[in-house]
Amino acid sequence: MVLVLGAGCCFVKGYVVEHLLHFRLLAKLSQGRMFSFVSKRLSLMMMTKVCCFQRNFSSALPPLVPVKLPSKMETHFWYVLPDEVKSESLLSQYSELLSPREKKNLYHMQGDQFKKSALLARVLVRTTIARYQTNCQVNPRSLKFKKTIYGKPEVDWENGDKWCPPPLHFNISHTSSLVACGVTVNVPIGIDVEEKQRRLKNKILAFAKRYFSPDEVKLLTAISDPEIQRQEFIKLWTLKEAYVKAVGRGFSAAPFNTFTIRARVIKMGGFHHFDTQHSEASEIVVESSDDPENLTSNWQFALLDLAGSHYAAICMEKENSAGGEASVPMRLTVWKTIPFVEDERVSGTGAVVPISGLIKQL
């Protein structure tokens, strides 16, 4: 599914989305120069009064295409490739969606590439959450956020008498070359993305001994090929970080070396060390170092090869945490997006390749 904003309308899964950005505006944005973040531009930006949502909340940006809430045991995964967002004009308009605090944090960041990635992360969160509101009730700019006592961000909804906010959970992750946001309903989610070509300053095994469980170190030690060992390390790291973020208690409450990622091979019906070098369908589970016999079954994982350049891990709590449903695939829908310009549904294509975990792409 591809959405390209054209002259007045577009088609998404058979229905017409009206009053979108005029073709000439899109052409202007697409011809923008390569991004060069100018810090003084942020410092000169005037504060915009936050108001109730209007159908065209900005004279320059169109309404977001609405999306239905994820269903039970479904994850929506949105990502942006920063290198594909080249219009300086569009990036400037993105900046206007940020809160004063977000603008200030961005202003003090060092490095144009890092600033651009951070800007896109905040914009992706705001625009993604705004898509799920019925009747276009939420302006992405008006969204407010708060943090739990452990530092996990969540939406600070303003409850009204006539509207009850959806029970959305979200999580974000970004590198300089990919920005992602995962969304679920009713259950916590954690995601992580890492570049496949990421290089470590320290030796793999020395780093693993410091942060991973003894069983995971043993698994990596058994891999003789340095490149395969590096790739397996990154996959493990990505899964472990997604789990910690889903639990939402912070790294100090759930250090990486206090749990082990394992895979239950469905075909054989037994538990094995995490290993992505075999093609058998497997369910990823978590084993506590304090209680090795306890394989936590109330978390669902997916490990993906994303856009051919990144590993992406998703961890979500099962709807029925009291034992959960055995071997039920995670329902996954993935979109590649440039907010307000283009949305492309890429789940089930070569851009999203499952590596491990029980996954049903929609």
Side-chain angles (χ1 to χ4, degrees):
M1 178 191 75
V2 180
L3 159 66
V4 178
L5 304 187
C9 67
C10 67
F11 289 88
V12 182
K13 297 180 70 175
Y15 62 88
V16 180
V17 181
E18 299 179 345
H19 306 298
L20 298 182
L21 188 62
H22 194 278
F23 177 80
R24 286 175 295 180
L25 174 60
L26 177 58
K28 179 181 178 181
L29 295 180
S30 64
Q31 294 171 2
R33 295 170 294 174
M34 291 296 290
F35 177 74
S36 176
F37 202 99
V38 184
S39 296
K40 65 180 181 180
R41 176 169 295 183
L42 276 177
S43 64
L44 294 174
M45 289 178 64
M46 300 297 292
M47 289 296 297
T48 304
K49 181 180 179 181
V50 176
C51 59
C52 295
F53 184 86
Q54 302 296 323
R55 191 159 181 81
N56 290 307
F57 66 86
S58 169
S59 60
L61 294 174
L64 292 161
V65 177
V67 177
K68 291 183 178 180
L69 292 170
S71 60
K72 180 180 179 181
M73 286 304 297
E74 181 181 0
T75 295
H76 286 181
F77 190 96
W78 299 79
Y79 73 91
V80 179
L81 298 176
D83 285 347
E84 294 186 357
V85 186
K86 301 178 180 181
S87 169
E88 210 170 310
S89 174
L90 180 61
L91 288 162
S92 179
Q93 292 175 79
Y94 281 168
S95 299
E96 295 177 5
L97 300 178
L98 273 56
S99 69
R101 177 175 292 182
E102 288 171 330
K103 292 176 184 177
K104 182 178 180 181
N105 291 340
L106 204 65
Y107 175 76
H108 289 292
M109 289 181 182
Q110 301 296 319
D112 288 350
Q113 193 174 29
F114 186 60
K115 284 183 177 181
K116 181 179 179 181
S117 178
L119 169 62
L120 291 175
R122 298 314 309 162
V123 171
L124 182 61
V125 169
R126 289 179 171 275
T127 56
T128 297
I129 293 173
R131 293 177 188 271
Y132 295 98
Q133 315 315 316
T134 58
N135 299 321
C136 299
Q137 292 176 321
V138 174
N139 177 345
R141 185 169 50 220
S142 71
L143 288 169
K144 296 180 180 179
F145 298 89
K146 61 182 180 180
K147 292 185 178 181
T148 67
I149 58 174
Y150 298 106
K152 186 174 184 178
E154 57 185 26
V155 182
D156 187 8
W157 297 109
E158 294 183 2
N159 293 318
D161 296 334
K162 298 182 180 180
W163 179 67
C164 182
L168 282 178
H169 291 257
F170 74 92
N171 197 233
I172 59 173
S173 180
H174 64 91
T175 67
S176 61
S177 53
L178 190 143
V179 180
C181 178
V183 179
T184 53
V185 171
N186 292 323
V187 295
I189 181 175
I191 70 168
D192 187 47
V193 293
E194 299 289 346
E195 294 178 353
K196 293 168 65 175
Q197 297 305 316
R198 172 185 172 186
R199 297 293 171 181
L200 300 176
K201 296 180 180 180
N202 300 322
K203 293 183 178 180
I204 296 292
L205 291 180
F207 202 74
K209 289 176 182 178
R210 180 178 179 183
Y211 291 103
F212 285 6
S213 72
D215 283 341
E216 290 166 340
V217 173
K218 184 178 179 181
L219 170 68
L220 292 172
T221 303
I223 301 174
S224 58
D225 187 304
E227 177 59 20
I228 295 177
Q229 185 185 74
R230 185 184 67 83
Q231 294 291 326
E232 294 303 304
F233 173 89
I234 296 174
K235 294 173 189 175
L236 267 172
W237 181 279
T238 308
L239 284 165
K240 291 171 81 72
E241 186 153 344
Y243 171 70
V244 170
K245 293 172 73 176
V247 173
R249 292 183 297 169
F251 290 94
S252 59
F256 275 12
N257 59 5
T258 62
F259 63 92
T260 299
I261 297 292
R262 294 191 185 276
R264 180 175 66 180
V265 179
I266 302 302
K267 182 178 180 181
M268 299 177 62
F271 287 98
H272 301 266
H273 292 292
F274 175 77
D275 184 358
T276 64
Q277 300 179 63
H278 299 89
S279 59
E280 298 163 299
S282 60
E283 181 179 19
I284 302 170
V285 293
V286 180
E287 175 189 282
S288 170
S289 298
D290 296 331
D291 184 8
E293 299 301 320
N294 178 23
L295 287 163
T296 306
S297 60
N298 61 317
W299 296 98
Q300 186 86 345
F301 288 87
L303 180 64
L304 311 168
D305 185 318
L306 189 63
S309 57
H310 291 72
Y311 293 125
I314 303 169
C315 177
M316 64 179 290
E317 189 174 22
K318 293 182 179 180
E319 191 80 21
N320 179 12
S321 60
E325 298 181 51
S327 305
V328 176
M330 177 191 296
R331 296 162 58 85
L332 177 65
T333 306
V334 182
W335 284 273
K336 175 185 173 184
T337 183
I338 299 177
F340 301 109
V341 176
E342 179 180 290
D343 300 324
E344 180 181 2
R345 187 168 175 168
V346 295
S347 44
T349 73
V352 185
V353 180
I355 298 174
S356 190
L358 301 180
I359 308 163
K360 181 179 180 180
Q361 296 194 61
L362 304 176

